[in-house]
Amino acid sequence: MSYVTASGLTRQYDLSDPWFIRMITGRKANVLTAVNQVSFSIEKGTTYALVGESGSGKSTIAKMLAGVLAPSQGSVQIDGHDFNNPRLDNANKKMLRQRVQMVFQSPYASLNPRWKIGDILLEPINAFNLIEDKATRQKRVIELLEQVGMSAHDQTKYPHEFSGGQRQRISIARALACHPELIICDEPTSALDVSVQAQVLNLLKDLQQENGLTYLFISHDLAVISTMANKIGVLKDGELVEEGETSGLLANPQHAYTKMLLAAAPDIGAYIS
Amino acid sequence: MRRFLQSDLFYSFRYSPVAIVSFVIIVFIILTAIFADLIAPNNPFDPASLNLMNGFTPPMQANDFTGETFLMGTDDQGRDLFSTILYGLRISLFVGVMAVMLAMLLGVMLGLVAGFVGGWIDSFIMRFADIQMTFPSILVAMLIYGVAKGILPPEVRYEMSIAVLIMSIGLSEWVPFARTVRGSTLVEKEKEYIIAAKMVGLSRYQIMIRHILPNVLSPVLVIATITFALAIIAEATLSFLGVGVPTTKPSLGTLIRIGQDFLFSGEWWILFFPAVTLLAFALSINLFGDWLRDTLNPKLK
Ligand SMILES: Nc1ncnc2c1ncn2[C@@H]1O[C@H](COP(=O)(O)OP(=O)(O)OP(=O)(O)O)[C@@H](O)[C@H]1O
Ligand SMILES: [Mg+2]
């Protein structure tokens, strides 16, 4: 069985006015379907990439997989468990939370500006009661920092003392802190310079190999995705229009929208040949 | 401390004459109020030390009967005005500080909850704030004061009058805190570090207190300074109107009220010195608050 299974995932946002305003003005209800009947699955230890332009519903899917947004319809199973299963008890919910972590797009908004790096990394460790002993906890923080190429004395600094690329590394370290199995990367490099992008992508790949991580990798950049993904899903206006193994999909796109995305990313040609 | 001396805040402070002067006045007045026992030549709250013969002595002139001289003269009961102002300042400052703390606590809490929880709780709190804001805050304070006095049994009314005063001023000034904090909370709660906190299973309460609160507090300091000036003036106004602190322990407002009775019979100093003190203090706090606002957040100008 696949590690992640999303089936018929749908999310609607109600953008209509309150009912009494609608009564007076005669306006109709206005419901936006951000994600519509999306189904896919991710094998353990592989990377599934979602590609699509801005507003296509990528982040909405990410939040539903992360268990912070409830689907309007459909469900997500992670290792056989569902965040929105009403019968899921607190202990199991906690266990499930520990398995899924996220790396975000904005290096600025993803770290609390008032917290020191050390405290940011300790938060997941403390939240899941992973380490009782204080000295061991400190050691773990240093280990995490070194794992992402930062140094031990960075733990006493605040986020504003770091560059965008360094902050993404800290974000990755936080995601790793509770030994997750699935990491959702929502455009983790789109705010970074190209040279820094490559470093962060390589770090993610190394970590995946070392720890057998499963990734949901979100991007609007096919060039980035082609180097990361085993499988790609193409998202357009909230619907999954095409899906396939990376090499096959890039070499032989079926849907017009995929062809258009490919045409807009000229350096992909190098990858295919 | 060294970090503070090197900060932008301190740098801007050194080059702002308005900030320096107002800060010096504020500190000077606060210190004289705190050390009133040491500085004041008399204790105006001790009826035994008063001599009615000393009444209405003009400033820096010997009294006709007793021959005593007073820096700022005396009032109708022979109280040394200088000492009375020092002790009165103490009451005004205490009421002001406590009222601001109450307003801040209430406003920050309600603003945080309204912004973070949203929905009908948000609407309820903010509509209530809107309604309260349509009344002048001194009217709200008088209303609360009246209700509180009515509820309290007569025997504790006198002792509780300062607590009631603090409550009525505090409850009439929470709205600006709540509005600002709610606004910043709405911005903060959409940021990705909040999602990260949710993903490790933190409760809403923990997210509000640990993550959002530290990020919405910086404008609160500015509002607190300006509200402090408002609270001092509100206390003076209430006492002036005779609903504040009792005349046996006069605050600045009480002194101004007493002085007003004698202004047209030539005893100008009873009104003049307390009024100047109040003016200098409230003005300095306001100027300092303005400077603080401009420095901490240039966008608010
Ligand atoms: N809380 C919300 N309320 C209303 N509409 C929303 C909300 N969140 C997202 N949407 C809408 O849902 C759609 C999909 O948004 P989503 O953030 O998933 O897009 P995205 O693919 O991640 O885009 P981007 O590349 O810009 O991050 C958009 O049209 C967006 O306006
Ligand atoms: Mg997005």
Side-chain angles (χ1 to χ4, degrees):
Chain A
M1 200 179 127
S2 308
Y3 189 70
V4 179
T5 313
S7 38
L9 214 49
T10 301
R11 173 71 205 197
Q12 279 151 347
Y13 289 109
D14 189 355
L15 304 178
S16 19
D17 302 314
W19 62 268
F20 49 91
I21 305 274
R22 267 183 290 162
M23 288 259 285
I24 299 164
T25 59
R27 273 190 223 138
K28 292 222 175 66
N30 175 15
V31 175
L32 173 85
T33 304
V35 175
N36 192 11
Q37 294 292 334
V38 170
S39 303
F40 60 91
S41 57
I42 312 177
E43 300 305 321
K44 194 165 171 95
T46 68
T47 301
Y48 186 95
L50 276 176
V51 64
E53 60 195 355
S54 189
S56 55
K58 305 184 297 291
S59 296
T60 307
I61 293 180
K63 284 183 201 159
M64 289 191 283
L65 255 67
V68 292
L69 182 71
S72 312
Q73 287 158 41
S75 69
V76 181
Q77 300 263 329
I78 294 170
D79 206 10
H81 299 284
D82 182 349
F83 275 118
N84 298 295
N85 181 351
R87 277 177 312 203
L88 191 70
D89 60 27
N90 280 338
N92 274 318
K93 198 163 191 168
K94 207 169 155 184
M95 228 165 61
L96 188 54
R97 286 209 182 284
Q98 199 184 325
R99 288 186 206 175
V100 188
Q101 285 298 303
M102 198 158 164
V103 176
F104 302 92
Q105 172 170 6
S106 161
Y108 298 94
S110 58
L111 304 174
N112 187 334
R114 302 274 163 175
W115 283 34
K116 287 188 182 145
I117 305 306
D119 295 327
I120 290 175
L121 296 182
L122 277 173
E123 178 164 60
I125 298 174
N126 292 336
F128 296 117
N129 302 318
L130 295 181
I131 304 171
E132 294 284 325
D133 172 49
K134 195 164 173 233
T136 322
R137 261 196 315 245
Q138 283 305 315
K139 247 191 244 156
R140 173 72 178 144
V141 168
I142 294 169
E143 184 185 294
L144 283 165
L145 281 169
E146 283 169 353
Q147 218 174 349
V148 297
M150 312 268 301
S151 66
H153 61 256
D154 288 333
Q155 59 175 313
T156 55
K157 294 185 186 163
Y158 286 92
H160 71 258
E161 299 174 58
F162 296 98
S163 69
Q166 287 173 317
R167 290 188 206 206
Q168 282 312 63
R169 288 170 185 275
I170 295 164
S171 246
I172 294 171
R174 172 179 59 191
L176 291 174
C178 58
H179 307 286
E181 294 172 351
L182 169 68
I183 297 188
I184 300 165
C185 307
D186 188 358
E187 310 207 36
T189 60
S190 58
L192 306 178
D193 293 342
V194 179
S195 59
V196 184
Q197 251 184 36
Q199 288 171 13
V200 172
L201 292 176
N202 282 331
L203 173 65
L204 284 170
K205 268 195 252 181
D206 293 344
L207 291 169
Q208 180 169 40
Q209 277 188 345
E210 282 163 35
N211 305 299
L213 295 168
T214 308
Y215 284 159
L216 173 68
F217 192 93
I218 293 175
S219 179
H220 57 258
D221 185 346
L222 265 180
V224 166
I225 280 183
S226 65
T227 68
M228 294 294 294
N230 302 96
K231 219 171 163 187
I232 300 179
V234 181
L235 210 59
K236 182 178 191 294
D237 299 333
E239 288 180 38
L240 201 62
V241 293
E242 187 170 0
E243 189 190 41
E245 300 291 328
T246 303
S247 48
L249 187 122
L250 294 180
N252 189 16
Q254 298 299 310
H255 196 276
Y257 182 68
T258 318
K259 287 178 188 160
M260 196 198 82
L261 284 178
L262 262 172
D267 41 344
I268 298 268
Y271 173 83
I272 300 169
S273 58
Chain B
M1 188 65 202
R2 221 177 68 227
R3 234 171 97 190
F4 174 74
L5 290 178
Q6 287 167 351
S7 67
D8 297 348
L9 193 69
F10 186 71
Y11 180 84
S12 142
F13 180 75
R14 274 200 327 203
Y15 291 95
S16 165
V18 174
I20 294 175
V21 171
S22 54
F23 185 73
V24 167
I25 295 178
I26 294 168
V27 169
F28 176 76
I29 290 183
I30 290 177
L31 284 180
T32 51
I34 291 174
F35 296 109
D37 326 27
L38 304 178
I39 303 168
N42 300 307
N43 181 355
F45 295 171
D46 176 12
S49 75
L50 296 180
N51 183 352
L52 268 181
M53 300 283 276
N54 277 331
F56 299 121
T57 316
M60 299 306 286
Q61 283 179 31
N63 182 279
D64 293 343
F65 308 103
T66 62
E68 287 181 64
T69 316
F70 302 91
L71 181 64
M72 294 181 182
T74 61
D75 69 356
D76 56 333
Q77 299 177 47
R79 283 191 291 223
D80 171 31
L81 259 183
F82 178 58
S83 308
T84 318
I85 287 175
L86 291 186
Y87 278 83
L89 257 177
R90 208 185 238 185
I91 294 175
S92 299
L93 286 184
F94 177 73
V95 171
V97 169
M98 296 309 279
V100 170
M101 302 267 255
L102 177 63
M104 189 160 74
L105 201 73
L106 201 69
V108 169
M109 232 166 55
L110 289 174
L112 197 60
V113 170
F116 191 72
V117 177
W120 68 267
I121 294 181
D122 178 28
S123 309
F124 181 79
I125 294 175
M126 294 330 283
R127 288 305 82 72
F128 190 86
D130 290 344
I131 293 168
Q132 182 168 333
M133 282 303 267
T134 60
F135 299 100
S137 59
I138 197 72
L139 199 66
V140 176
M142 284 183 76
L143 187 75
I144 299 169
Y145 193 89
V147 172
K149 284 266 166 169
I151 294 171
L152 284 175
E155 58 276 12
V156 296
R157 235 177 250 170
Y158 187 75
E159 289 94 71
M160 295 293 286
S161 62
I162 287 193
V164 172
L165 193 62
I166 289 169
M167 213 179 67
S168 23
I169 298 173
L171 292 183
S172 70
E173 300 284 1
W174 64 275
V175 175
F177 289 101
R179 283 193 177 157
T180 315
V181 166
R182 174 179 176 271
S184 328
T185 303
L186 286 177
V187 174
E188 289 301 319
K189 78 168 180 179
E190 296 300 332
K191 292 198 177 158
E192 294 167 338
Y193 70 86
I194 300 298
I195 299 184
K198 282 184 193 162
M199 288 191 65
V200 296
L202 254 57
S203 68
R204 291 211 278 193
Y205 175 77
Q206 287 171 317
I207 291 177
M208 273 200 290
I209 300 296
R210 289 197 215 162
H211 282 283
I212 296 187
L213 187 61
N215 282 296
V216 298
L217 281 184
S218 43
V220 167
L221 182 68
V222 176
I223 301 174
T225 341
I226 291 164
T227 307
F228 184 49
L230 290 176
I232 300 272
I233 292 174
E235 184 279 323
T237 310
L238 288 177
S239 298
F240 179 82
L241 295 171
V243 294
V245 292
T247 37
T248 48
K249 290 189 173 176
S251 69
L252 289 181
T254 325
L255 284 176
I256 293 172
R257 188 186 73 219
I258 299 170
Q260 184 224 205
D261 293 341
F262 303 106
L263 183 61
F264 294 106
S265 53
E267 285 86 15
W268 54 271
W269 57 90
I270 307 179
L271 176 83
F272 180 76
F273 291 111
V276 166
T277 313
L278 179 71
L279 189 73
F281 192 54
L283 193 65
S284 299
I285 298 174
N286 257 330
L287 290 174
F288 188 74
D290 281 351
W291 167 81
L292 202 61
R293 181 193 58 197
D294 294 348
T295 323
L296 288 183
N297 191 350
K299 274 176 277 173
L300 280 176
K301 247 179 204 173

